[in-house]
């Protein structure tokens, strides 16, 4: 877009407004502002989403090969979870911080997924993480970017639907509480990936309380499409349902059986 030309036209139309030529000038000004909005706001958001996608793709490759915070075995089943504020990727090469107080990092209530005890904390240049060797970690960066990698839930070569959904919801709600302390505003993206899960079944509980299993999944990875939340204050049970529905559709169901009338039911 020729910005100099657009601003010159805008200046001319404002002058015509001053001379009383209101109707046509207002229409032209509205069109110019629409173009500028698309150029500056919409395209900027698209660039942010692209940067986030590139970051997730890079981390996926690194985590798969074992290049994670911990020395994790390469090419074994892993659950990878990302929560990423758009603000963290709004400007390239900028040392952006969201305002977290890392002196009180234990108050963040970080813990590895599927781990209740025996984990420890560590600080690095990017932020803080809770970890347990051979199980995984949950990390919160100073930018507000959250990453969790988990291995322990896949010991039996299956995805236990109730367990996975409950753990993801719990950590998302913890993240929600942490970001609420800094009054974060703006969109953020939720990404969930299952790596190296070929031949895994989905385990679910039927109407009479017995565990059933689906046919095995036939692809190497199960990459669920991310969702964007417009506010950290959203109802996360409801907001994340499209991701869980896609997980179940990958195994032949219409949606998650752990929701009843649109509401999440724990331990169903």
């Amino acid at each position: 877009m020729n910005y100099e030309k657009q601003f010159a036209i805008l200046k001319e139309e404002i002058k015509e407004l001053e001379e009383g030529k209101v109707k046509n000038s207002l229409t032209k000004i509205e069109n110019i502002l629409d173009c500028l909005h698309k150029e500056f706001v919409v395209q900027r958001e698209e660039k942010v989403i692209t940067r986030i996608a590139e970051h997730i793709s890079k981390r996926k490759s690194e985590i798969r090969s074992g290049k994670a915070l911990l020395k994790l075995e390469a090419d074994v089943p892993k659950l990878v979870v990302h929560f990423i504020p758009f603000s963290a990727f709004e400007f390239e090469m900028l040392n952006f911080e969201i305002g977290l107080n890392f002196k009180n990092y234990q108050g963040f209530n970080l813990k590895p997924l599927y781990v209740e005890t025996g984990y420890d904390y560590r600080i690095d240049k990017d932020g803080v993480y809770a970890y347990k060797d051979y199980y995984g970690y949950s990390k919160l960066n100073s930018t507000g970017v959250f990453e969790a990698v988990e291995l322990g839930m896949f010991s039996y070569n299956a995805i236990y639907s109730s367990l996975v959904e409950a753990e993801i919801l719990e950590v998302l709600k913890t993240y929600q509480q942490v970001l609420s302390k800094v009054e974060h505003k703006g969109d953020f993206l939720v990404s969930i990936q299952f790596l190296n899960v070929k031949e895994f079944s989905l385990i679910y509980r039927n109407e009479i309380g017995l565990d059933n299993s689906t046919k095995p999944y036939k692809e190497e990875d199960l990459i669920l499409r991310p969702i964007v939340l417009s506010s950290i204050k959203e109802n996360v049970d409801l907001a994340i349902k499209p991701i869980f529905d896609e997980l179940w559709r990958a195994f032949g169901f219409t949606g998650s059986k752990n929701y009843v009338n649109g509401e999440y039911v724990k331990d169903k």
Side-chain angles (χ1 to χ4, degrees):
M1 176 181 286
N2 187 330
Y3 298 114
E4 187 174 345
K5 180 180 178 182
Q6 292 298 321
F7 282 117
I9 294 173
L10 188 57
K11 188 175 180 180
E12 289 177 8
E13 297 306 325
I14 291 173
K15 185 177 179 180
E16 290 203 3
L17 276 178
E18 293 173 348
E19 295 173 354
K21 300 174 182 178
V22 178
K23 186 174 181 180
N24 290 338
S25 292
L26 285 177
T27 301
K28 290 179 182 179
I29 289 172
E30 185 178 6
N31 291 337
I32 292 171
L33 291 176
D34 283 343
C35 290
L36 292 173
H37 175 270
K38 183 176 181 180
E39 185 76 10
F40 285 111
V41 178
V42 177
Q43 288 193 17
R44 183 180 65 182
E45 184 174 287
E46 290 174 352
K47 289 178 181 177
V48 169
I49 293 174
T50 298
R51 290 172 192 154
I52 292 174
E54 290 172 349
H55 172 77
I56 292 173
S57 179
K58 179 183 177 183
R59 291 299 298 141
K60 172 191 168 186
S61 298
E62 292 172 345
I63 291 166
R64 176 194 292 284
S65 63
K67 294 179 182 178
L69 289 172
L70 307 180
K71 189 176 181 180
L72 301 176
E73 189 177 349
D75 298 318
V76 298
K78 298 180 180 82
L79 170 63
V80 181
V81 178
H82 284 102
F83 308 141
I84 301 180
F86 278 31
S87 55
F89 286 84
E90 191 167 355
F91 302 102
E92 291 185 289
M93 307 304 293
L94 179 67
N95 186 13
F96 171 83
E97 294 191 356
I98 205 167
L100 297 169
N101 180 10
F102 283 97
K103 291 182 179 179
N104 186 35
Y105 67 85
Q106 290 187 333
F108 295 163
N109 296 319
L110 279 179
K111 73 176 189 66
L113 295 174
Y114 195 48
V115 173
E116 296 299 330
T117 59
Y119 57 90
D120 205 349
Y121 292 99
R122 188 172 294 170
I123 298 282
D124 66 11
K125 70 180 184 65
D126 297 316
V128 60
Y129 59 97
Y131 70 96
K132 186 172 184 178
D133 289 334
Y134 308 110
Y135 280 83
Y137 63 84
S138 292
K139 181 174 185 180
L140 182 61
N141 290 347
S142 61
T143 59
V145 172
F146 174 89
E147 176 180 283
V149 178
E150 206 286 324
L151 285 74
M153 280 191 281
F154 299 138
S155 302
Y156 299 99
N157 292 338
I159 298 172
Y160 285 79
S161 62
S162 295
L163 176 62
V164 166
E165 291 182 1
E167 288 291 324
I168 291 172
L169 280 169
E170 180 182 355
V171 74
L172 180 52
K173 289 175 181 178
T174 299
Y175 177 78
Q176 186 181 42
Q177 292 171 0
V178 171
L179 259 63
S180 67
K181 294 178 182 178
V182 296
E183 298 182 355
H184 176 267
K185 296 179 181 178
D187 296 346
F188 69 100
L189 181 141
V190 177
S191 169
I192 298 171
Q193 305 177 73
F194 297 85
L195 307 184
N196 299 103
V197 291
K198 187 175 183 179
E199 298 302 323
F200 272 41
S201 296
L202 184 73
I203 307 298
Y204 65 97
R205 194 158 293 172
N206 64 19
E207 289 74 10
I208 59 174
L210 299 177
D211 284 345
N212 283 12
S213 63
T214 65
K215 293 181 179 180
Y217 186 68
K218 294 302 181 182
E219 297 182 31
E220 196 64 40
D221 301 327
L222 177 49
I223 309 299
L224 303 177
R225 287 173 294 181
I227 60 170
V228 174
L229 305 187
S230 60
S231 169
I232 194 64
K233 296 180 181 180
E234 282 197 40
N235 179 335
V236 294
D237 285 357
L238 183 61
I240 204 170
K241 185 177 182 293
I243 290 185
F244 292 158
D245 285 344
E246 185 176 1
L247 168 63
W248 284 74
R249 287 198 300 271
F251 291 92
F253 295 92
T254 57
S256 173
K257 286 182 172 291
N258 294 317
Y259 283 78
V260 176
N261 297 324
E263 294 187 5
Y264 177 70
V265 181
K266 188 175 181 180
D267 296 328
K268 182 176 181 299

